[in-house]
Amino acid sequence: MITGKTKTLAVIGNPVAHSLSPVFQNAAIEAAGLDYIYTAFPVADGQLGKAIQGMKAFGICGLNVTIPHKEQVMKHLDHVDKDAEILGAVNTIVNKDGVLTGYNTDVKGFIGGMKQLGYAPKGKHAVLLGAGGAARAVIWGLIQEGVASLTIGVRNVPKVRPLVEYFSKYMEITLLDWQTEDFEMALEKAELLVNATPLGMCPYVEAMPPVNWDRVKPGILVYDIIYTPAETLFLKTAKEHGCKVLNGEAMLVGQGAESLRLWTGIEPDLEIMTKALRRALEERKD
Ligand code: NAP
């Protein structure tokens, strides 16, 4: 029951009504018997500073932050943790007695998906397709896990060079046009292949990144961070090629679970969160 003591959590963004976070966060909250609710607040551009002041004024315990506020929100916080600082983006704010700290839980979400499968990226040759916003957490996660090598394949190399230079202080990264022989040679060596492009995401389900599957070793892990559809053409093709596959569902749930852990201290039930997410995605199809 919601009472005057019930604590508030929320996601902010613009737009935010489509967010699935309230669905799986409330499922986890209920399962843990916590006296919290999790809702969504649209925050227009230009209103972010006031919204964060409002967080303090209303005593909102925690926020998730989504597009377009993940970068801009940082300047309104009292502290920012190391992952968020390195990624230049915050997706979680913890309000502790009026002191706001920003975190980025996307890295743990991305890596957690592989760990649930029993797959350890340490010492593996990794190839990443795409280098947009979501790829930053992928790159930082793989660097921290200690991959043996990291190659990024993209359609526009000059655009991505600054990002690669930025992360090169932590690890040597090879950046290649994904239409080249050099990239195909990197594919041959790959033990982990990650798609961080939106190619194949609903409604463009016929699309997929240009991978020459003849050069990919069967048996490697192919990870598509897209979660709608659950099986992209990329993952379907990888499976047919004999690869192990993982979609973006565990990353989405994992980042949310890490946020809930930061706000409440509990270990959220990933299975319950995942079931709630799948149910909501099914209902969305109808
Ligand atoms: P983004 O910033 O738009 O960029 C993704 C990358 O894909 C960029 O390198 C971009 O290249 C490339 N790309 C986009 N459209 C392309 C096309 N038609 N042909 C070739 N390359 C293309 O996207 P994002 O925010 O990083 O998100 C990427 C995907 O990750 C989305 O599908 C999103 O749903 C998913 N995602 C999942 C989670 C999760 O929790 N599972 C979290 C975040 C995002 P250019 O720069 O050249 O356009």
Side-chain angles (χ1 to χ4, degrees):
M1 190 174 55
I2 296 169
T3 69
K5 292 182 189 158
T6 304
K7 294 176 178 162
T8 305
L9 302 167
V11 54
I12 60 168
N14 187 27
V16 79
H18 66 285
S19 172
L20 292 159
S21 293
V23 172
F24 58 74
Q25 293 288 12
N26 283 312
I29 286 165
E30 198 185 324
L34 297 172
D35 191 12
Y36 282 79
I37 53 156
Y38 186 108
T39 185
F41 296 128
V43 174
D45 299 359
Q47 295 295 315
L48 185 60
K50 286 185 189 159
I52 299 303
Q53 284 304 313
M55 180 186 190
K56 284 194 184 186
F58 287 122
I60 290 170
C61 304
L63 290 178
N64 279 133
V65 184
T66 189
I67 293 165
H69 300 312
K70 283 179 154 192
E71 292 86 20
Q72 288 303 316
V73 79
M74 294 175 77
K75 62 173 180 272
H76 301 290
L77 305 178
D78 301 302
H79 306 288
V80 170
D81 104 312
K82 186 176 160 232
D83 276 356
E85 196 180 306
I86 287 170
L87 296 176
V90 157
N91 79 333
T92 304
I93 306 172
V94 176
N95 180 0
K96 191 150 191 329
D97 305 323
V99 179
L100 306 185
T101 305
Y103 298 85
N104 193 308
T105 64
D106 289 333
V107 177
K108 285 215 170 74
F110 170 70
I111 297 297
M114 288 186 280
K115 293 205 166 152
Q116 276 178 56
L117 267 191
Y119 184 89
K122 189 174 169 59
K124 302 284 198 309
H125 294 290
V127 171
L128 169 65
L129 302 157
R136 296 177 77 91
V138 173
I139 295 168
W140 184 230
L142 293 176
I143 291 174
Q144 286 187 102
E145 288 297 308
V147 288
S149 70
L150 177 55
T151 301
I152 306 180
V154 293
R155 63 174 169 183
N156 184 344
V157 167
K159 183 176 174 187
V160 178
R161 204 161 274 135
L163 177 75
V164 167
E165 274 165 18
Y166 174 75
F167 280 109
S168 289
K169 58 179 176 268
Y170 304 104
M171 180 186 170
E172 192 184 326
I173 297 172
T174 307
L175 174 64
L176 295 169
D177 182 324
W178 60 23
Q179 302 277 14
T180 59
E181 173 59 23
D182 281 354
F183 181 70
E184 296 211 347
M185 282 164 66
L187 271 182
E188 271 177 0
K189 219 173 67 168
E191 295 165 296
L192 169 65
L193 175 60
V194 183
N195 176 37
T197 77
L199 291 164
M201 191 170 71
C202 288
Y204 307 106
V205 294
E206 299 303 325
M208 86 168 149
V211 165
N212 180 354
W213 292 96
D214 292 341
R215 308 292 286 268
V216 175
K217 280 190 291 235
I220 71 163
L221 178 64
V222 176
Y223 189 169
D224 194 337
I225 68 166
I226 293 173
Y227 51 88
T228 50
E231 186 180 70
T232 55
L233 182 58
F234 181 67
L235 286 191
K236 184 169 178 282
T237 312
K239 212 155 91 186
E240 285 164 4
H241 190 65
C243 300
K244 294 187 271 288
V245 295
L246 178 63
N247 72 12
E249 186 186 86
M251 178 175 174
L252 178 65
V253 167
Q255 59 79 31
E258 179 60 15
S259 300
L260 192 56
R261 199 182 65 73
L262 288 168
W263 296 320
T264 66
I266 65 151
E267 283 307 324
D269 188 326
L270 292 173
E271 211 176 304
I272 283 175
M273 294 174 87
T274 306
K275 275 191 191 152
L277 170 66
R278 285 187 189 158
R279 217 169 27 242
L281 288 170
E282 274 305 310
E283 281 166 14
R284 219 170 243 196
K285 274 191 208 159
D286 301 338

